[in-house]
Amino acid sequence: MDEFKILQNKLIAFRNAREWKQFHSAKNLATSVVIESAELLECFQWLRDDDINTINKIHVAEEMSDVLNYLLLLAEILDINLFESALKKIEKNGEKYPVEKSKGTSAKYNKI
Ligand SMILES: [Mg+2]
């Protein structure tokens, strides 16, 4: 069992114990992913690059976890294996961004 599945099972048990599945439509979960992503971004709001060591890592980790947890709940509702999908996406990006063309550049794949 992949570690995502372990997390997902814990989330499902947490959700089911509270009878919250009724609120977890795909739309509501996708909305929650974006809201939690904004909360993550807020951790960095107004920081200059040289302020990066001043961030509250505990808070950042909590917001990152909120994003991941909602993604895993959304994946469960849509019957998507997020672990396998993420692995495939890395492979796909490797094809779009071959090392020999992409190394050291942030250019989009259609501009390299
Ligand atoms: Mg949050």
Side-chain angles (χ1 to χ4, degrees), residues 31-45:
T31 300
S32 298
V33 168
V34 174
I35 291 168
E36 295 300 341
S37 297
E39 290 179 5
L40 173 61
L41 191 54
E42 192 175 25
C43 298
F44 300 94
Q45 188 179 25

Side-chain angles (χ1 to χ4, degrees), residues 43-44 47 51-62:
C43 298
F44 300 94
L47 284 184
D51 292 336
I52 198 68
N53 292 325
T54 67
I55 62 166
N56 180 337
K57 278 194 184 177
I58 293 170
H59 188 201
V60 169
E62 285 179 352

Side-chain angles (χ1 to χ4, degrees), residues 68-84:
L68 178 60
N69 289 344
Y70 276 122
L71 281 173
L72 289 170
L73 286 167
L74 180 58
E76 191 260 337
I77 292 285
L78 298 176
D79 196 25
I80 290 170
N81 183 321
L82 195 53
F83 187 79
E84 283 181 14

